[in-house]
Amino acid sequence: MDETVAEYIRRTVLKIPRDEIKTMLQKWGFLSEAQLQNLNFHQIKDNISQEVVQLCEENSADIKQAALLDIIYNYIYQDKRIWSVYQMKKSGEELEYFDITDFKKKFKRRIRSTLKNVTITFKEYEDNAIWIRVAWGTPHKKPNQYKPSYVVYHSQTPYVFISASVLKSNMPLLCQALIVASNYHDIREMELRSHSLNSLKDIVFKRYSQNFQTYTAKPLQGGNIESQNADRRIVQENRSEKERIYRLNQEAFGSGPQPKLEFAQYRLETMFKSDPKMDVLDKKEPFRCLVKFSSPHLLESLKSLAPAGMADAPLSPLLTCIPHKARNYFKIREKKGSFPESFVSP
Amino acid sequence: HLATSLPLPSERDHLRPRIDLIVFMIDIKSKYSLKNVEASLAHVDASFFLGKVCFLVTGVGRVNDCSIETNAVCKLGKTYCSPVLFCELELEGVRAATAQRLLRILEICAGHVRGVSALSFVLLMRNSDDD
Protein backbone atom coordinates (compact mmCIF):
# COMPACT_ATOMS: atom_id res chain seq x y z
CA MET A 1 0.00 0.00 0.00
CA ASP A 2 1.22 3.46 -0.85
CA GLU A 3 2.74 5.39 2.07
CA THR A 4 0.70 8.50 1.30
CA VAL A 5 -2.49 6.43 1.30
CA ALA A 6 -1.55 4.88 4.64
CA GLU A 7 -0.83 8.28 6.15
CA TYR A 8 -4.07 9.69 4.77
CA ILE A 9 -6.14 6.85 6.21
CA ARG A 10 -4.35 7.22 9.54
CA ARG A 11 -5.10 10.95 9.70
CA THR A 12 -8.71 10.49 8.64
CA VAL A 13 -9.31 7.94 11.39
CA LEU A 14 -7.70 10.29 13.91
CA LYS A 15 -10.28 12.95 13.06
CA ILE A 16 -13.15 10.67 14.03
CA PRO A 17 -14.29 10.82 17.69
CA ARG A 18 -13.35 7.56 19.34
CA ASP A 19 -16.92 6.41 20.00
CA GLU A 20 -17.82 6.81 16.34
CA ILE A 21 -14.88 5.01 14.78
CA LYS A 22 -16.41 1.55 14.74
CA THR A 23 -19.69 2.73 13.19
CA MET A 24 -17.90 4.71 10.54
CA LEU A 25 -15.63 1.82 9.60
CA GLN A 26 -18.70 -0.38 9.33
CA LYS A 27 -20.36 2.14 7.03
CA TRP A 28 -17.18 2.20 4.99
CA GLY A 29 -17.41 -1.55 4.56
CA PHE A 30 -13.81 -1.99 3.47
CA LEU A 31 -12.70 -3.93 6.53
CA SER A 32 -14.46 -7.21 7.19
CA GLU A 33 -16.68 -7.83 10.22
CA ALA A 34 -14.08 -10.23 11.54
CA GLN A 35 -11.33 -7.64 11.28
CA LEU A 36 -13.50 -5.07 13.05
CA GLN A 37 -14.33 -7.53 15.82
CA ASN A 38 -10.66 -8.05 16.48
CA LEU A 39 -9.92 -4.37 16.72
CA ASN A 40 -9.65 -2.89 20.20
CA PHE A 41 -11.66 0.32 20.14
CA HIS A 42 -10.92 1.12 23.76
CA GLN A 43 -7.30 2.03 23.33
CA ILE A 44 -6.06 5.51 22.54
CA LYS A 45 -6.91 6.83 19.09
CA ASP A 46 -3.30 6.82 17.95
CA ASN A 47 -3.17 3.08 18.42
CA ILE A 48 -6.59 2.50 16.88
CA SER A 49 -5.58 4.36 13.75
CA GLN A 50 -2.31 2.41 13.50
CA GLU A 51 -4.22 -0.85 13.70
CA VAL A 52 -6.68 0.33 11.06
CA VAL A 53 -3.80 1.19 8.75
CA GLN A 54 -2.33 -2.27 9.27
CA LEU A 55 -5.64 -3.89 8.39
CA CYS A 56 -5.94 -1.69 5.31
CA GLU A 57 -2.45 -2.81 4.34
CA GLU A 58 -3.61 -6.42 4.58
CA ASN A 59 -6.58 -5.61 2.37
CA SER A 60 -4.44 -3.59 -0.05
CA ALA A 61 -6.30 -0.33 0.19
CA ASP A 62 -5.71 2.28 -2.45
CA ILE A 63 -6.53 5.95 -2.69
CA LYS A 64 -10.06 5.20 -3.95
CA GLN A 65 -11.03 3.48 -0.71
CA ALA A 66 -9.33 6.14 1.37
CA ALA A 67 -11.25 8.85 -0.48
CA LEU A 68 -14.49 6.99 0.16
CA LEU A 69 -13.78 6.95 3.89
CA ASP A 70 -13.21 10.68 3.70
CA ILE A 71 -16.56 11.25 1.98
CA ILE A 72 -18.31 9.23 4.69
CA TYR A 73 -16.61 11.30 7.39
CA ASN A 74 -17.59 14.56 5.69
CA TYR A 75 -21.14 13.38 5.09
CA ILE A 76 -21.61 12.75 8.80
CA TYR A 77 -19.74 15.91 9.88
CA GLN A 78 -20.98 18.02 7.01
CA ASP A 79 -21.72 20.96 9.30
CA LYS A 80 -18.02 21.48 9.94
CA ARG A 81 -17.62 22.90 6.46
CA ILE A 82 -19.01 26.03 4.87
CA TRP A 83 -21.27 25.31 1.92
CA SER A 84 -22.12 27.63 -0.97
CA VAL A 85 -25.10 27.17 -3.23
CA TYR A 86 -24.92 27.23 -7.01
CA GLN A 87 -27.82 27.23 -9.42
CA MET A 88 -27.64 25.73 -12.88
CA LYS A 89 -29.69 26.81 -15.87
CA LYS A 90 -30.95 24.77 -18.76
CA SER A 91 -31.19 26.28 -22.20
CA GLY A 92 -34.29 24.44 -23.33
CA GLU A 93 -37.23 22.81 -21.63
CA GLU A 94 -36.36 19.23 -22.55
CA LEU A 95 -36.86 16.89 -19.68
CA GLU A 96 -34.01 14.48 -19.90
CA TYR A 97 -33.80 11.26 -18.07
CA PHE A 98 -30.98 11.45 -15.57
CA ASP A 99 -28.44 8.66 -15.94
CA ILE A 100 -26.01 8.48 -13.05
CA THR A 101 -23.40 6.49 -14.96
CA ASP A 102 -23.48 8.97 -17.78
CA PHE A 103 -23.14 11.82 -15.31
CA LYS A 104 -20.09 10.30 -13.64
CA LYS A 105 -18.43 9.50 -16.94
CA LYS A 106 -18.92 12.98 -18.38
CA PHE A 107 -17.82 14.63 -15.14
CA LYS A 108 -14.60 12.67 -14.92
CA ARG A 109 -13.85 13.10 -18.60
CA ARG A 110 -14.29 16.87 -18.48
CA ILE A 111 -12.01 17.31 -15.51
CA ARG A 112 -9.36 14.86 -16.67
CA SER A 113 -9.22 16.47 -20.09
CA THR A 114 -7.82 19.57 -18.43
CA LEU A 115 -6.08 18.14 -15.39
CA LYS A 116 -4.76 14.62 -15.19
CA ASN A 117 -3.71 14.67 -11.55
CA VAL A 118 -7.04 14.47 -9.78
CA THR A 119 -8.80 11.98 -7.54
CA ILE A 120 -12.51 11.87 -8.19
CA THR A 121 -14.83 9.87 -5.94
CA PHE A 122 -18.62 9.52 -6.00
CA LYS A 123 -21.05 8.30 -3.39
CA GLU A 124 -24.82 8.26 -3.64
CA TYR A 125 -27.12 8.77 -0.70
CA GLU A 126 -30.81 8.11 -0.12
CA ASP A 127 -32.36 11.44 -0.89
CA ASN A 128 -31.10 11.45 -4.50
CA ALA A 129 -27.99 13.21 -3.28
CA ILE A 130 -24.78 12.55 -5.17
CA TRP A 131 -21.66 13.38 -3.20
CA ILE A 132 -18.54 14.09 -5.22
CA ARG A 133 -15.09 14.47 -3.78
CA VAL A 134 -12.33 15.98 -5.92
CA ALA A 135 -8.72 16.16 -4.81
CA TRP A 136 -6.73 18.53 -6.98
CA GLY A 137 -3.17 18.31 -8.21
CA THR A 138 -1.22 20.21 -10.83
CA PRO A 139 0.30 19.02 -14.09
CA HIS A 140 3.45 18.24 -12.12
CA LYS A 141 2.18 17.28 -8.66
CA LYS A 142 0.00 14.50 -7.37
CA PRO A 143 -3.39 15.48 -5.95
CA ASN A 144 -3.44 17.06 -2.52
CA GLN A 145 -5.75 14.73 -0.61
CA TYR A 146 -5.94 17.05 2.36
CA LYS A 147 -7.66 19.93 0.56
CA PRO A 148 -10.39 18.40 -1.56
CA SER A 149 -13.58 20.02 -2.79
CA TYR A 150 -16.92 18.45 -2.02
CA VAL A 151 -19.98 18.76 -4.21
CA VAL A 152 -23.49 17.66 -3.36
CA TYR A 153 -25.85 17.42 -6.31
CA HIS A 154 -29.51 16.51 -6.15
CA SER A 155 -30.15 15.25 -9.64
CA GLN A 156 -33.82 16.24 -9.73
CA THR A 157 -32.98 19.87 -9.03
CA PRO A 158 -30.82 22.56 -10.60
CA TYR A 159 -28.97 23.15 -7.34
CA VAL A 160 -25.45 22.18 -6.43
CA PHE A 161 -23.91 22.64 -2.99
CA ILE A 162 -20.17 23.12 -3.00
CA SER A 163 -17.69 23.18 -0.18
CA ALA A 164 -14.70 24.41 -2.04
CA SER A 165 -11.18 23.60 -1.12
CA VAL A 166 -8.94 26.52 -0.44
CA LEU A 167 -7.42 26.02 -3.87
CA LYS A 168 -9.93 28.34 -5.46
CA SER A 169 -8.35 28.33 -8.89
CA ASN A 170 -10.05 25.02 -9.62
CA MET A 171 -13.56 26.37 -9.24
CA PRO A 172 -14.13 27.26 -12.92
CA LEU A 173 -13.11 23.77 -13.97
CA LEU A 174 -15.35 22.21 -11.35
CA CYS A 175 -18.32 24.32 -12.45
CA GLN A 176 -17.76 23.49 -16.09
CA ALA A 177 -17.57 19.79 -15.38
CA LEU A 178 -20.84 19.98 -13.45
CA ILE A 179 -22.81 21.63 -16.23
CA VAL A 180 -21.36 19.38 -18.88
CA ALA A 181 -22.13 16.27 -16.87
CA SER A 182 -25.65 17.31 -15.93
CA ASN A 183 -26.64 18.73 -19.33
CA TYR A 184 -27.14 22.28 -18.19
CA HIS A 185 -25.67 25.24 -20.00
CA ASP A 186 -24.87 27.72 -17.24
CA ILE A 187 -24.11 27.87 -13.55
CA ARG A 188 -24.04 30.80 -11.17
CA GLU A 189 -23.12 31.18 -7.56
CA MET A 190 -26.00 32.24 -5.31
CA GLU A 191 -25.34 34.62 -2.46
CA LEU A 192 -26.15 31.97 0.09
CA ARG A 193 -23.66 30.33 2.42
CA SER A 194 -23.87 28.40 5.65
CA HIS A 195 -22.40 25.58 7.70
CA SER A 196 -25.69 23.75 7.79
CA LEU A 197 -26.09 21.90 4.50
CA ASN A 198 -29.57 20.74 5.42
CA SER A 199 -30.70 24.28 6.10
CA LEU A 200 -29.40 25.41 2.72
CA LYS A 201 -31.38 22.59 1.16
CA ASP A 202 -34.44 23.61 3.18
CA ILE A 203 -34.14 27.14 1.85
CA VAL A 204 -33.68 26.41 -1.85
CA PHE A 205 -36.05 23.46 -1.93
CA LYS A 206 -38.53 25.54 0.09
CA ARG A 207 -38.84 22.86 2.73
CA TYR A 208 -39.01 25.22 5.73
CA SER A 209 -42.40 26.27 7.03
CA GLN A 210 -43.47 29.43 5.34
CA ASN A 211 -46.41 31.55 6.19
CA PHE A 212 -49.18 29.25 5.12
CA GLN A 213 -52.39 28.81 7.04
CA THR A 214 -51.66 25.25 8.00
CA TYR A 215 -52.21 23.50 11.25
CA THR A 216 -49.23 23.57 13.56
CA ALA A 217 -49.03 21.04 16.35
CA LYS A 218 -47.80 23.48 18.95
CA PRO A 219 -46.25 26.90 18.82
CA LEU A 220 -42.49 26.51 18.92
CA GLN A 221 -41.52 30.04 19.76
CA GLY A 222 -40.60 30.49 23.41
CA GLY A 223 -42.12 33.89 24.03
CA ASN A 224 -45.67 32.74 23.47
CA ILE A 225 -48.13 34.95 25.31
CA GLU A 226 -50.42 32.15 26.41
CA SER A 227 -47.77 30.48 28.53
CA GLN A 228 -46.86 33.70 30.29
CA ASN A 229 -50.37 34.25 31.62
CA ALA A 230 -50.36 31.08 33.63
CA ASP A 231 -50.42 33.10 36.84
CA ARG A 232 -53.64 35.08 37.01
CA ARG A 233 -52.21 37.54 39.49
CA ILE A 234 -49.96 38.99 36.78
CA VAL A 235 -51.73 41.39 34.46
CA GLN A 236 -50.09 42.25 31.16
CA GLU A 237 -50.91 45.86 30.40
CA ASN A 238 -49.57 45.73 26.89
CA ARG A 239 -51.27 42.50 25.95
CA SER A 240 -52.69 43.76 22.67
CA GLU A 241 -49.29 45.12 21.70
CA LYS A 242 -47.66 41.81 22.56
CA GLU A 243 -50.24 40.02 20.46
CA ARG A 244 -49.63 42.37 17.56
CA ILE A 245 -45.90 41.76 17.75
CA TYR A 246 -46.45 38.00 17.94
CA ARG A 247 -48.73 38.09 14.92
CA LEU A 248 -46.36 40.22 12.83
CA ASN A 249 -43.51 37.96 13.76
CA GLN A 250 -45.45 34.88 12.71
CA GLU A 251 -46.28 36.54 9.40
CA ALA A 252 -42.67 37.38 8.78
CA PHE A 253 -41.09 34.12 9.90
CA GLY A 254 -43.77 31.47 9.83
CA SER A 255 -44.41 29.29 12.84
CA GLY A 256 -42.01 26.42 12.25
CA PRO A 257 -38.30 26.11 12.95
CA GLN A 258 -36.07 28.39 10.90
CA PRO A 259 -33.28 27.17 8.62
CA LYS A 260 -29.92 27.45 10.32
CA LEU A 261 -27.67 30.20 9.05
CA GLU A 262 -24.72 31.71 10.84
CA PHE A 263 -24.22 34.97 8.97
CA ALA A 264 -25.97 37.72 7.12
CA GLN A 265 -23.74 40.23 5.43
CA TYR A 266 -24.77 43.55 3.94
CA ARG A 267 -22.32 45.47 1.82
CA LEU A 268 -23.42 49.07 1.74
CA GLU A 269 -22.48 51.33 -1.10
CA THR A 270 -24.71 54.19 -0.20
CA MET A 271 -24.11 57.87 0.15
CA PHE A 272 -23.32 59.11 3.59
CA LYS A 273 -26.23 61.18 4.76
CA SER A 274 -25.36 63.92 7.15
CA ASP A 275 -26.30 67.46 7.89
CA PRO A 276 -24.99 69.44 4.90
CA LYS A 277 -23.58 71.98 7.33
CA MET A 278 -21.33 69.34 8.86
CA ASP A 279 -19.38 69.12 5.65
CA VAL A 280 -18.30 65.54 6.15
CA LEU A 281 -16.99 63.78 3.10
CA ASP A 282 -17.13 66.63 0.64
CA LYS A 283 -16.41 64.16 -2.12
CA LYS A 284 -19.66 62.74 -3.35
CA GLU A 285 -18.56 59.14 -3.19
CA PRO A 286 -20.57 56.27 -1.82
CA PHE A 287 -19.67 55.44 1.76
CA ARG A 288 -18.46 51.87 1.87
CA CYS A 289 -19.49 49.89 4.87
CA LEU A 290 -19.94 46.22 5.68
CA VAL A 291 -22.52 45.14 8.21
CA LYS A 292 -22.33 41.57 9.35
CA PHE A 293 -24.73 39.78 11.64
CA SER A 294 -23.52 36.55 13.15
CA SER A 295 -25.14 34.08 15.47
CA PRO A 296 -25.15 30.36 16.14
CA HIS A 297 -28.67 30.40 14.68
CA LEU A 298 -29.27 33.72 12.99
CA LEU A 299 -32.89 33.37 11.89
CA GLU A 300 -34.14 32.10 15.24
CA SER A 301 -32.43 34.97 17.02
CA LEU A 302 -33.91 37.49 14.59
CA LYS A 303 -37.29 35.91 15.17
CA SER A 304 -36.94 36.36 18.94
CA LEU A 305 -35.84 40.03 18.79
CA ALA A 306 -39.28 41.65 18.68
CA PRO A 307 -40.94 39.46 21.32
CA ALA A 308 -37.95 40.05 23.60
CA GLY A 309 -38.45 43.79 23.27
CA MET A 310 -35.06 44.32 21.65
CA ALA A 311 -36.36 45.52 18.31
CA ASP A 312 -39.55 46.98 16.95
CA ALA A 313 -41.91 44.84 14.99
CA PRO A 314 -42.13 44.46 12.04
CA LEU A 315 -38.44 43.84 11.46
CA SER A 316 -36.77 45.32 8.44
CA PRO A 317 -37.55 43.36 5.28
CA LEU A 318 -33.83 43.24 4.65
CA LEU A 319 -33.65 40.78 7.53
CA THR A 320 -36.88 38.90 7.05
CA CYS A 321 -36.43 38.29 3.34
CA ILE A 322 -33.40 36.05 3.85
CA PRO A 323 -35.10 32.65 3.45
CA HIS A 324 -37.56 33.82 0.79
CA LYS A 325 -34.88 35.37 -1.38
CA ALA A 326 -32.52 32.48 -0.61
CA ARG A 327 -29.63 34.76 0.10
CA ASN A 328 -27.67 36.00 3.08
CA TYR A 329 -25.14 38.19 1.30
CA PHE A 330 -26.50 41.49 0.04
CA LYS A 331 -25.27 44.56 -1.77
CA ILE A 332 -27.17 47.71 -1.05
CA ARG A 333 -26.84 50.62 -3.40
CA GLU A 334 -28.62 53.90 -3.80
CA LYS A 335 -31.93 53.60 -5.46
CA LYS A 336 -32.63 56.20 -8.07
CA GLY A 337 -35.56 57.62 -6.19
CA SER A 338 -36.48 58.90 -2.81
CA PHE A 339 -36.08 55.75 -0.72
CA PRO A 340 -33.19 55.94 1.71
CA GLU A 341 -32.19 52.31 1.37
CA SER A 342 -32.76 49.83 -1.34
CA PHE A 343 -31.85 46.55 -2.61
CA VAL A 344 -30.10 45.60 -5.72
CA SER A 345 -29.43 42.06 -6.62
CA PRO A 346 -26.28 41.82 -8.65
CA HIS B 1 -49.30 44.76 36.51
CA LEU B 2 -46.55 44.47 33.91
CA ALA B 3 -46.06 47.02 31.22
CA THR B 4 -43.35 47.46 28.63
CA SER B 5 -43.44 51.23 28.74
CA LEU B 6 -45.53 54.22 29.76
CA PRO B 7 -48.08 55.60 29.17
CA LEU B 8 -50.30 52.64 29.91
CA PRO B 9 -52.81 51.75 27.20
CA SER B 10 -55.98 53.69 27.88
CA GLU B 11 -58.27 50.85 26.88
CA ARG B 12 -57.59 49.17 30.20
CA ASP B 13 -58.07 52.27 32.40
CA HIS B 14 -61.32 51.02 33.86
CA LEU B 15 -59.81 47.66 34.81
CA ARG B 16 -56.93 49.09 36.77
CA PRO B 17 -56.84 49.40 40.54
CA ARG B 18 -55.10 52.26 42.36
CA ILE B 19 -51.37 52.29 41.69
CA ASP B 20 -49.31 52.31 44.88
CA LEU B 21 -45.82 51.74 43.58
CA ILE B 22 -44.07 51.96 40.24
CA VAL B 23 -40.92 49.90 39.83
CA PHE B 24 -38.88 50.80 36.77
CA MET B 25 -36.78 47.86 35.70
CA ILE B 26 -33.53 48.62 33.96
CA ASP B 27 -31.51 45.82 32.43
CA ILE B 28 -27.90 46.79 32.86
CA LYS B 29 -27.05 44.91 29.67
CA SER B 30 -29.35 47.04 27.53
CA LYS B 31 -28.92 50.73 26.80
CA TYR B 32 -32.33 50.54 25.21
CA SER B 33 -33.92 49.67 28.54
CA LEU B 34 -32.46 52.77 30.16
CA LYS B 35 -33.71 54.95 27.32
CA ASN B 36 -37.11 53.36 27.57
CA VAL B 37 -37.31 54.07 31.30
CA GLU B 38 -36.18 57.67 30.83
CA ALA B 39 -38.88 58.18 28.20
CA SER B 40 -41.52 56.56 30.38
CA LEU B 41 -40.65 58.73 33.39
CA ALA B 42 -42.01 61.72 31.55
CA HIS B 43 -45.47 60.20 31.73
CA VAL B 44 -45.54 59.77 35.48
CA ASP B 45 -47.54 62.19 37.57
CA ALA B 46 -45.38 64.25 39.95
CA SER B 47 -47.16 62.92 43.05
CA PHE B 48 -45.66 59.49 42.50
CA PHE B 49 -42.20 60.85 43.09
CA LEU B 50 -42.94 61.26 46.77
CA GLY B 51 -41.75 57.78 47.50
CA LYS B 52 -43.91 55.73 45.17
CA VAL B 53 -41.31 55.20 42.51
CA CYS B 54 -38.30 52.95 42.69
CA PHE B 55 -35.68 51.79 40.19
CA LEU B 56 -34.67 48.18 39.96
CA VAL B 57 -31.49 47.42 38.06
CA THR B 58 -31.21 43.80 36.96
CA GLY B 59 -28.46 41.70 35.46
CA VAL B 60 -25.70 43.05 37.67
CA GLY B 61 -24.23 39.61 38.17
CA ARG B 62 -22.80 39.50 34.67
CA VAL B 63 -20.03 42.03 35.03
CA ASN B 64 -18.74 41.63 31.49
CA ASP B 65 -22.04 42.42 29.85
CA CYS B 66 -22.74 45.81 31.41
CA SER B 67 -23.79 48.43 28.88
CA ILE B 68 -24.95 51.05 31.33
CA GLU B 69 -22.78 52.72 33.92
CA THR B 70 -23.99 52.54 37.50
CA ASN B 71 -23.27 56.28 37.74
CA ALA B 72 -25.93 56.95 35.17
CA VAL B 73 -28.51 54.98 37.12
CA CYS B 74 -27.60 56.50 40.46
CA LYS B 75 -27.88 59.93 38.90
CA LEU B 76 -31.34 58.97 37.68
CA GLY B 77 -32.28 57.95 41.20
CA LYS B 78 -31.03 61.25 42.62
CA THR B 79 -32.81 63.32 39.98
CA TYR B 80 -36.11 61.66 40.70
CA CYS B 81 -35.60 61.35 44.45
CA SER B 82 -36.22 57.62 44.33
CA PRO B 83 -34.28 54.63 45.61
CA VAL B 84 -32.28 52.43 43.28
CA LEU B 85 -32.06 48.73 43.97
CA PHE B 86 -29.57 46.40 42.30
CA CYS B 87 -30.20 42.72 41.84
CA GLU B 88 -29.42 39.67 39.75
CA LEU B 89 -32.58 37.82 38.76
CA GLU B 90 -30.74 34.70 37.75
CA LEU B 91 -29.72 33.96 41.33
CA GLU B 92 -32.62 32.50 43.21
CA GLY B 93 -31.54 33.80 46.61
CA VAL B 94 -31.07 37.37 45.42
CA ARG B 95 -34.31 37.19 43.49
CA ALA B 96 -36.25 36.14 46.57
CA ALA B 97 -34.59 38.76 48.76
CA THR B 98 -35.29 41.51 46.23
CA ALA B 99 -38.91 40.42 45.95
CA GLN B 100 -39.25 40.66 49.71
CA ARG B 101 -37.74 44.15 49.77
CA LEU B 102 -40.09 45.32 47.05
CA LEU B 103 -43.03 43.81 48.84
CA ARG B 104 -42.07 45.65 52.01
CA ILE B 105 -41.77 48.92 50.09
CA LEU B 106 -45.16 48.23 48.52
CA GLU B 107 -46.76 47.61 51.90
CA ILE B 108 -45.53 50.95 53.11
CA CYS B 109 -46.64 52.77 49.96
CA ALA B 110 -50.08 51.20 50.19
CA GLY B 111 -50.38 52.44 53.74
CA HIS B 112 -50.39 49.01 55.38
CA VAL B 113 -47.64 49.80 57.87
CA ARG B 114 -48.59 52.02 60.75
CA GLY B 115 -46.46 55.02 61.37
CA VAL B 116 -44.50 54.84 58.12
CA SER B 117 -45.56 56.32 54.80
CA ALA B 118 -44.06 56.57 51.34
CA LEU B 119 -42.71 59.99 52.22
CA SER B 120 -40.25 58.31 54.57
CA PHE B 121 -38.34 57.06 51.54
CA VAL B 122 -37.89 60.60 50.31
CA LEU B 123 -36.51 61.62 53.66
CA LEU B 124 -34.11 58.68 53.67
CA MET B 125 -32.85 59.70 50.25
CA ARG B 126 -32.32 63.24 51.38
CA ASN B 127 -30.26 62.18 54.37
CA SER B 128 -27.83 60.07 52.41
CA ASP B 129 -27.30 62.93 49.96
CA ASP B 130 -26.17 65.34 52.60
CA ASP B 131 -23.02 63.54 53.64
Side-chain angles (χ1 to χ4, degrees), chain A residues 289-308:
Chain A
C289 172
L290 189 72
V291 178
K292 187 171 182 178
F293 293 88
S294 49
S295 161
H297 198 321
L298 183 72
L299 294 177
E300 282 295 343
S301 45
L302 289 177
K303 188 175 177 182
S304 53
L305 281 179

Side-chain angles (χ1 to χ4, degrees), chain B residues 80-95:
Chain B
Y80 287 94
C81 261
S82 302
V84 182
L85 300 179
F86 294 87
C87 82
E88 173 52 71
L89 292 176
E90 290 183 39
L91 295 173
E92 202 186 310
V94 179
R95 200 168 65 222

